[in-house]
Amino acid sequence: AGAAGGGGGPGGPPIMGGGEQMDRVFVGGLPYYLSQEQCEELLSSFGPLRSFDLVKDRDTGQSKGYGFVVYADPSVTDVACAGLNGMRMGERTLTVRRATESAPNQQMGAQHTGMMPAAMNQAPPMPEMPASRIISLLEAVTPAELADDGEYSEILEDMKEECGRYGAVRSLHIPRPNTAGGPDPPGVGKVIVEYADVSGAMAGRTAMHGRRFAGRTVSATFLPEAAFSAGQF
């Protein structure tokens, strides 16, 4: 990835050739604390990148919260846009679309700050929680499926494999119902996934939210690390 703002004027996007220009994707609403490498890790969950330019303030070097990405395989461009657009990251919402798509004039100023109106977000809404390394999946499993030891082991391995596609999984918990007649432990019916880093968790949540399992639609949210450490699933 090249340095942000190179060649297109101070703080602006780089100038590209016609073919690459057609596949260039605008990524707005990025949290200012994300580094170039963290942004690339999130975006590359949909495929290898040809380039990513995080636009920064020329004086301070601080991220301006938006950038431009080009995927090595143009066929994944629209898939990535659909998967990332509308994703909540802390108090911000990603706006991800082809840079060649036009927008109403009144929205142009907002585009350049990475803050787009909610009406522009096409992805299903996700509950607003600050990003963390932990995601909680609801409706991925049912308590009845967890009662049998053999079926539980199979579900556990399947979920580890699936969630591991999007980042390094440090641990995965699927609380089981109490068959001894006492109260169930916290989090029964949920899958709690601890990723090694926030970027992996963000990619995992984006990929898992809205997935269908046995006719159920999965809801994926971030879980605060303090709650995870306390077993408050």
Side-chain angles (χ1 to χ4, degrees), residues 92-169:
R92 311 202 74 195
T93 302
L94 291 188
T95 297
V96 184
R97 57 175 173 75
R98 286 182 179 268
T100 53
E101 292 180 5
S102 60
N105 290 335
Q106 62 267 30
Q107 295 171 349
M108 292 303 291
Q111 290 176 22
H112 291 289
T113 62
M115 300 175 65
M116 297 294 289
M120 292 293 291
N121 301 326
Q122 302 300 318
M126 286 185 269
E128 301 177 15
M129 289 290 288
S132 76
R133 296 185 302 106
I134 322 299
I135 63 173
S136 173
L137 307 178
L138 189 62
E139 299 295 337
V141 297
T142 65
E145 293 172 338
L146 307 177
D148 180 78
D149 289 343
E151 188 170 3
Y152 176 80
S153 296
E154 185 175 332
I155 291 172
L156 195 62
E157 290 305 314
D158 287 346
M159 293 305 301
K160 284 181 179 178
E161 180 180 354
E162 182 61 30
C163 294
R165 297 175 186 270
Y166 313 107
V169 173

Side-chain angles (χ1 to χ4, degrees), residues 6-92:
I15 298 172
M16 300 180 179
E20 188 166 332
Q21 177 76 21
M22 290 297 296
D23 295 317
R24 189 170 61 138
V25 173
F26 168 79
V27 184
L30 291 166
Y32 300 112
Y33 59 80
L34 287 185
S35 67
Q36 171 98 10
E37 291 72 22
Q38 289 173 318
C39 292
E40 289 176 352
E41 189 171 350
L42 171 64
L43 296 168
S44 64
S45 63
F46 290 90
L49 308 183
R50 179 182 300 174
S51 65
F52 173 66
D53 294 281
L54 181 62
V55 179
K56 300 178 182 179
D57 184 281
R58 64 178 299 175
D59 296 321
T60 66
Q62 175 71 33
S63 165
K64 288 190 174 183
Y66 70 98
F68 298 87
V69 64
V70 178
Y71 284 92
D73 179 1
S75 68
V76 308
T77 300
D78 291 327
V79 176
C81 289
L84 292 168
N85 189 51
M87 177 180 174
R88 290 290 303 188
M89 297 183 66
E91 297 181 354
R92 311 202 74 195

